[in-house]
Amino acid sequence: MKETGIKSSGYENVIVDCPLCERELIFNRVSDLNTTEPIGGTRVSCSKCKGDFWISGDTINERHETIIFDCYDLLRTKRYMNCILNICQAYEMFFSLYLRVSLVYVPFGSGRSKGDASPDKVNDLFLSLSEATKELTFWRMRDIFLRLAISPNSPADLAGSEAAINVLQNHKCPKDAELENWPDKQISLLLMKVKRTQINVLRNKVVHKDGYRPKKEEAEAAVREARSILFPLTYRLDLHDDINSYLQPRQ
């Protein structure tokens, strides 16, 4: 069976050239490939020549990073409104990922190493976290992220996670001095940039009844800002949307 690499990999779709008839094909991850996981390798069929072949070589970026990469095609096709929506969504997805990692993944890994973590408890925490955040605005998610990012008391186990989730909505945005005095100066600078971003204000102008149409320069600036903040923060905070990344050996 012939094999070809993925030519373009986005959040929703992957694009390949059929190695049999050379037609460009678009496969939707959910509808066509039946997975939202990165494609290490899978068998597909060409909609034109009906031949089967193997595709591989998907990207392994986190979801919010892939959303940002999708913006380059939106910039190319001058869909600046959609670009702004994508960028704001990328921030929100980043905030959600941080909460999952700090309040579920890491505590589960720590608890598992001590033999006191169960999958059922993890599922309960996911549900509790979803319930606690489902109505939160961009600003509130940002405030909670910033507060937790500089908190010296991260949950050490699942019991601590449950308590932390129960008081999430009590968190207030840190003052500038709290962020600026954080010992890791690189993270401190990035957190200040998160606090100052106005991407949600621009997003609201786009989606509300006036349907604001941003300029090319606004869309490009939004993409540059998001990349300069979210990519290094994801790396520095060691964020992976895979609970297995945080499992520790049992003691």
Side-chain angles (χ1 to χ4, degrees), residues 37-52:
E37 297 298 318
I39 305 300
T42 191
R43 179 177 177 174
V44 297
S45 297
C46 177
S47 57
K48 181 179 181 181
C49 69
K50 308 303 180 184
D52 293 339

Side-chain angles (χ1 to χ4, degrees), residues 73-195:
D73 190 54
L74 297 176
L75 290 174
R76 181 181 61 81
T77 55
K78 301 185 180 182
R79 295 159 61 195
Y80 304 136
M81 295 175 73
N82 293 91
C83 184
I84 296 301
L85 300 183
N86 264 29
I87 292 298
C88 195
Q89 185 179 18
Y91 278 92
E92 292 172 328
M93 292 169 69
F94 169 83
F95 299 149
S96 294
L97 172 60
Y98 182 83
L99 295 187
R100 287 195 299 276
V101 169
S102 61
L103 298 179
V104 182
Y105 295 176
V106 171
F108 173 71
S110 177
R112 182 177 180 274
S113 70
K114 301 172 185 177
D116 60 359
S118 71
D120 288 341
K121 183 61 177 177
V122 169
N123 290 335
D124 290 342
L125 287 174
F126 277 130
L127 291 175
S128 297
L129 182 58
S130 176
E131 184 66 24
T133 58
K134 67 180 182 181
E135 301 295 335
L136 297 184
T137 64
F138 180 99
W139 285 126
R140 290 296 296 123
M141 288 291 287
R142 181 212 62 175
D143 293 350
I144 292 169
F145 158 70
L146 291 173
R147 176 56 64 189
L148 292 181
I150 63 170
S151 173
N153 301 312
S154 300
D157 51 32
L158 297 184
S161 294
E162 186 173 19
I165 291 172
N166 288 337
V167 298
L168 268 186
Q169 298 193 32
N170 296 336
H171 291 311
K172 305 298 182 183
C173 185
K175 298 182 182 300
D176 286 359
E178 295 180 84
L179 299 176
E180 291 169 346
N181 292 332
W182 189 243
D184 188 318
K185 295 307 178 185
Q186 289 185 322
I187 291 181
S188 171
L189 178 61
L190 293 168
L191 294 179
M192 283 298 301
K193 289 182 177 180
V194 170
K195 183 176 180 179

Side-chain angles (χ1 to χ4, degrees), residues 54-73:
W54 191 263
I55 63 172
S56 60
D58 201 359
T59 61
I60 56 172
N61 294 90
E62 298 303 327
R63 295 190 299 158
H64 62 276
E65 295 173 330
T66 304
I67 285 283
I68 294 173
F69 283 134
D70 282 352
C71 288
Y72 289 100
D73 190 54

